[in-house]
Amino acid sequence: MPYSFDDVLAEIKPYPKKRVAVAVGHDEAVLDAVARAEAQDVADCVLVGDVAKIKATADAVNADISKAELIDERDVTKAAKRAVALVSSGECHIAMKGKLHTDDFLRAVLDKETGLRTGRLLSHVFLLEVPLPVKRLVFVTDGAMNIAPNFEEKAQIATNAIALARLFGIEQPKVAALAGVELVNPKMPATQDAAVLSLMSYRGQFEAGLIEGPLALDLAVSEEAARIKGVKNPVAGHADILLMPSLEAGNIMVKGFSHLAGGRTAGLVLGAKAPVVLTSRSDSAESKFLSIVCAVYAANMEAVRVKVGKVRG
Ligand code: COD
């Protein structure tokens, strides 16, 4: 089971490389990440976009993209659709966002004809490499796709993240349904949703994971905070998945972690036909590379899961 991004990178080495289709490739950090993925035999990449701009950008940052396939499509919307279509047709295994707005990229992913819909809710998960009290990966969802999820959507978002955490080797992921407090307050709708999700979990409605809530962030991740506040349950202090009440909460938390505390993060969209790498345009090349690594890991573990048939979704 990987406890760090370096572990994830080491664990994918025996598995086959995957093909990544990048939508609108002329982004410095994306091309740096692509060059690293090619150099470390993690993935082969197809870069869709304005080829002249892609080459000029790669030159500017000294990114060796000589092994990548280039497809010239200067229109941003068409480039996004074309990259995603390469994945839905099976020519590539992973879609990745390049230099375009998140919503424009996601609309290509959701396209009814050429997109990656499955009939399920698609949702985003950030993976955070948390240093304390021991280094491990924590999953934060949804900080990038579903803006204000209703109760049913939160249940699906939790289910998607549980499936991902299980691919990452956590047998029964512990989910903290986060709010500002640990008691149900009718004036705070997030606490009500969290309480019902928790009840559903105790009734066995999330068979693969354990949801507890409402919990404030400190209670979810700090054993000491839970002890001081007298909160005793199997998730308190040990949450693997932080289920956020809204996109803003998740997005602000993760950007605080990376931009204020220097934490390493990766980002994926789940629930689609294939993993989708979705990072912010301001994320570092390292974060984009780590996201490719995690997508390759998820795609390979999913294949193992289907073959072995041991793990329930
Ligand atoms: N899963 C599956 N289908 C979906 C989802 C989803 N999460 N979201 C929308 N759909 C389907 C709907 O069922 C419908 O058929 C179609 O897509 C259009 O639905 P709308 O009109 O509600 O959606 P859009 O196109 O206006 O917006 C969808 C986005 C994902 C683009 C939107 O939710 C969005 O902008 N999300 C936030 C993206 C963002 O800015 N993130 C910032 C992170 S840095």
Side-chain angles (χ1 to χ4, degrees):
M1 173 175 142
Y3 290 91
S4 67
F5 288 124
D6 290 344
D7 288 350
V8 181
L9 184 56
E11 288 197 23
I12 59 175
K13 290 289 175 197
Y15 290 98
K17 273 197 281 185
K18 296 286 175 191
R19 270 170 81 76
V20 180
V22 181
V24 191
H26 65 275
D27 176 273
E28 294 182 1
V30 167
L31 292 175
D32 190 336
V34 161
R36 291 188 207 195
E38 296 268 7
Q40 297 192 39
D41 273 343
V42 169
D44 291 322
C45 298
V46 181
L47 305 172
V48 185
D50 185 326
V51 166
K53 281 190 189 167
I54 291 172
K55 285 183 176 164
T57 310
D59 284 346
V61 290
N62 243 338
D64 179 3
I65 56 160
S66 54
K67 288 194 205 144
E69 186 183 329
L70 303 179
I71 297 179
D72 199 27
E73 179 49 79
R74 290 173 199 190
D75 180 89
V76 168
T77 307
K78 286 185 188 160
K81 273 182 101 165
R82 188 131 176 220
V84 170
L86 286 172
V87 181
S88 62
S89 69
E91 288 165 76
C92 290
H93 308 101
I94 292 161
M96 178 173 182
K97 178 188 152 223
K99 201 176 179 74
L100 75 168
H101 287 285
T102 299
D103 53 345
D104 292 333
F105 175 66
L106 288 175
R107 285 198 182 93
V109 172
L110 289 169
D111 187 277
K112 283 194 174 122
E113 271 119 49
T114 51
L116 300 170
R117 285 176 183 242
T118 52
R120 290 157 52 196
L121 186 84
L122 274 62
S123 56
H124 184 273
V125 173
F126 281 112
L127 294 90
L128 276 57
E129 188 179 82
V130 171
L132 296 170
V134 285
K135 193 182 266 190
R136 69 186 180 113
L137 297 175
V138 169
F139 303 80
V140 177
T141 188
D142 181 333
M145 185 164 188
N146 292 282
I147 297 170
N150 60 27
F151 176 76
E152 202 178 336
E153 289 163 344
K154 285 181 186 173
Q156 186 61 59
I157 290 168
T159 302
N160 284 348
I162 288 169
L164 182 73
R166 281 166 67 81
L167 290 179
F168 275 73
I170 303 170
E171 188 59 29
Q172 191 185 40
K174 296 183 176 76
V175 184
L178 292 185
V181 290
E182 71 277 14
L183 299 176
V184 176
N185 180 339
K187 290 181 181 160
M188 297 181 181
T191 64
Q192 293 174 309
D193 284 354
V196 181
L197 287 168
S198 184
L199 183 62
M200 284 170 70
S201 177
Y202 280 93
R203 297 253 165 104
Q205 288 178 265
F206 294 93
E207 57 184 48
L210 186 59
I211 304 183
E212 181 66 56
L215 286 173
L217 179 61
D218 54 344
L219 296 173
V221 297
S222 162
E223 221 175 343
E224 178 67 353
R227 189 190 61 74
I228 291 168
K229 292 189 179 171
V231 173
K232 286 188 194 138
N233 63 64
V235 175
H238 304 282
D240 302 299
I241 297 169
L242 304 176
L243 179 66
M244 290 291 164
S246 68
L247 182 146
E248 278 97 347
N251 200 280
I252 292 167
M253 182 190 149
V254 174
K255 285 184 179 158
F257 178 76
S258 57
H259 291 273
L260 295 173
R264 301 212 292 173
T265 66
L268 302 178
V269 170
L270 311 175
K273 278 187 204 158
V276 175
V277 172
L278 180 62
T279 53
S280 172
R281 275 168 298 152
S282 64
D283 280 340
S284 65
E286 183 187 42
S287 172
K288 291 176 201 288
F289 170 66
L290 295 175
S291 302
I292 295 174
V293 169
C294 289
V296 170
Y297 181 87
N300 276 313
M301 291 304 125
E302 179 68 22
V304 171
R305 184 184 79 90
V306 170
K307 214 161 139 191
V308 178
K310 270 190 189 159
V311 184
R312 283 170 298 184

